[in-house]
């Protein structure tokens, strides 16, 4: 049986999945991420893979996929500028390190691209779709795109980095150095600034839940939803994907977030017959409650195997 592992390296936790012959989840695990730098990231990633292999009683992996934040060079299997992981401008050769450690084919993807692929695999199991845009709303904002069943990375691997598009004149400074970027006004970090809550609680979940009954919360949530609606419109007119999926930590707000964004899209529709014709609310979905980043990383790794080694998934790397 062909066994493929996928790992999603996040800023606080590292999730890992094991996919069997039929691409069903054979095992799932997660461990805390050591975000102290390259050494810590490598150690917590290997720990997650070892726990996963033990849970699935696996002695050897046929392929291993990694999804990780930062600037990923998929050809070289390196990552740099992953600030939330303590990885600076010196590339971490995580692909070759893990290939040597586990003796298997390894593939490295940007974490949002991996999640886009995972969302596509999950959604295409029940819907006939070829294209999908995944909008990740977390600490930052970015998108991953699947076109004709294939992940679209772009020339420099930055396709979908819409978080650094200025959308609010005179807005707050973004980490990239520009002002008023989408990420600076509608990300999880921006929501925390706009709607602070007690430590250990989720600002986005509380904001969008409160927006149903509290006027101040409704005003803040509406402004954020309008920015997110604009991001969805941007993805629609640039990629014309059949589905736009909301994911990331802010998407844990679930239905109240979806309703707020729907309202934002309808406000756009009332101003433009062109936008109405795009039928954006009907194309919008919430991400499934599954480890899609790790699933997508595993599916991308499967594409590295020689033809005939394993059943080819619908989504390809």
């Amino acid at each position: 049986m062909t066994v493929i592992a996928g790992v999603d390296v996040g800023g606080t936790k590292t999730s890992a999945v094991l996919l069997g012959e039929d691409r069903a989840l054979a095992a799932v695990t997660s461990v805390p991420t050591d975000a102290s730098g390259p050494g810590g990231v490598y150690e917590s990633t290997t720990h997650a893979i070892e726990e996963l292999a033990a849970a699935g009683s696996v002695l050897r992996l046929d392929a291993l996929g990694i999804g990780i934040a930062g600037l990923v060079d998929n050809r070289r299997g390196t990552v740099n500028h992953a600030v939330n992981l303590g990885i600076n401008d010196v590339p971490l050769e995580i692909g070759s390190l893990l290939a040597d450690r586990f003796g298997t084919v390894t593939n490295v993807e940007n974490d949002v691209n991996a999640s886009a692929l995972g969302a596509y695999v999950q959604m295409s199991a029940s819907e006939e779709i070829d294209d999908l845009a995944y909008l990740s709303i977390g600490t930052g904002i970015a998108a991953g795109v699947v076109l004709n069943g294939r992940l679209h990375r772009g020339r420099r691997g930055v396709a979908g980095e819409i978080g650094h598009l200025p959308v609010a004149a005179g807005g707050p400074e973004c980490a990239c150095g520009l002002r008023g970027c989408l990420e600076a006004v509608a990300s999880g970090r921006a929501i925390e600034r706009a709607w602070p809550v007690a430590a250990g609680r989720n600002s986005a979940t509380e904001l969008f839940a409160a927006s149903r009954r509290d006027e101040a919360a409704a005003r803040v949530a509406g402004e954020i939803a309008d920015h997110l609606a604009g991001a969805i419109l941007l993805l629609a007119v640039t990629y014309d994907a059949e589905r736009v999926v909301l994911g990331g930590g802010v998407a844990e707000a679930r239905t109240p977030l979806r309703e707020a964004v729907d309202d934002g899209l309808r406000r756009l529709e009332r101003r433009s017959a062109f936008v109405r014709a795009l039928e954006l609310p009907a194309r919008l979905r919430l991400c499934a409650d599954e480890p899609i980043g790790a699933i997508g990383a595993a599916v991308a790794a499967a594409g590295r195997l020689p033809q005939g080694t394993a059943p080819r998934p619908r989504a390809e790397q």
Side-chain angles (χ1 to χ4, degrees):
M1 181 178 77
T2 303
V3 180
I4 303 168
V7 183
D8 181 15
V9 183
T12 57
K13 73 173 181 178
T14 296
S15 303
V17 301
L18 205 62
L19 300 188
E21 194 76 29
D22 57 359
R23 297 297 185 266
L25 288 176
V28 180
T29 192
S30 69
V31 303
T33 301
D34 181 345
S36 62
V41 170
Y42 171 74
E43 290 299 329
S44 52
T45 302
T46 57
H47 181 205
I49 297 165
E50 288 165 352
E51 274 204 5
L52 184 71
S57 301
V58 170
L59 298 178
R60 182 182 179 278
L61 296 172
D62 293 288
L64 170 62
I66 306 296
I68 187 168
L71 293 180
V72 170
D73 188 324
N74 175 258
R75 294 180 180 85
R76 294 183 173 88
T78 64
V79 59
N80 61 0
H81 293 290
V83 179
N84 64 332
L85 296 174
I87 299 172
N88 55 26
D89 57 346
V90 178
L92 170 62
E93 297 181 356
I94 192 167
S96 60
L97 288 171
L98 292 173
D100 291 344
R101 172 66 181 80
F102 294 100
T104 190
V105 173
T106 303
N107 184 72
V108 184
E109 294 289 348
N110 170 267
D111 59 341
V112 177
N113 283 348
S115 292
L117 202 52
Y120 176 82
V121 169
Q122 184 272 336
M123 192 160 291
S124 61
S126 58
E127 298 185 50
E128 286 295 325
I129 61 171
D130 293 314
D131 308 319
L132 175 147
Y134 173 83
L135 180 60
S136 176
I137 318 161
T139 302
I141 291 181
V145 182
V146 176
L147 300 176
N148 295 318
R150 299 181 67 88
L151 187 61
H152 178 69
R153 300 186 186 90
R155 170 70 176 170
R156 299 180 183 274
V158 295
E161 288 288 350
I162 64 172
H164 299 298
L165 180 70
V167 296
E173 186 174 358
C174 180
C176 74
L178 299 176
R179 299 193 71 88
C181 291
L182 178 63
E183 186 170 298
V185 297
S187 66
R189 186 173 288 140
I191 294 171
E192 289 171 2
R193 289 195 301 267
W195 197 258
V197 297
R201 299 169 73 172
N202 188 307
S203 288
T205 298
E206 296 203 15
L207 170 65
F208 287 102
S211 68
R212 292 171 160 178
R213 60 183 184 277
D214 182 274
E215 185 176 334
R219 183 171 60 254
V220 173
E223 291 174 358
I224 291 165
D226 283 343
H227 288 306
L228 295 176
I232 291 165
L233 175 59
L234 174 65
L235 292 171
V237 297
T238 50
Y239 298 108
D240 199 21
E242 295 163 89
R243 297 288 180 266
V244 178
V245 181
L246 301 181
V250 171
E252 292 176 10
R254 306 303 296 171
T255 301
L257 170 68
R258 167 69 187 268
E259 291 174 349
V261 174
D262 274 345
D263 288 344
L265 290 172
R266 291 192 174 93
R267 284 191 284 273
L268 287 175
E269 288 183 331
R270 287 195 290 272
R271 292 156 50 193
S272 168
F274 169 73
V275 174
R276 285 196 299 276
L278 298 177
E279 299 180 313
L280 297 179
R283 295 157 69 176
L284 186 64
R285 298 288 187 275
L286 278 174
C287 182
D289 189 19
E290 295 180 3
I292 61 166
I295 292 170
V299 170
R304 294 273 185 173
L305 293 172
Q307 287 192 345
T309 304
R312 201 164 187 78
R314 282 200 66 206
E316 302 176 48
Q317 69 160 344

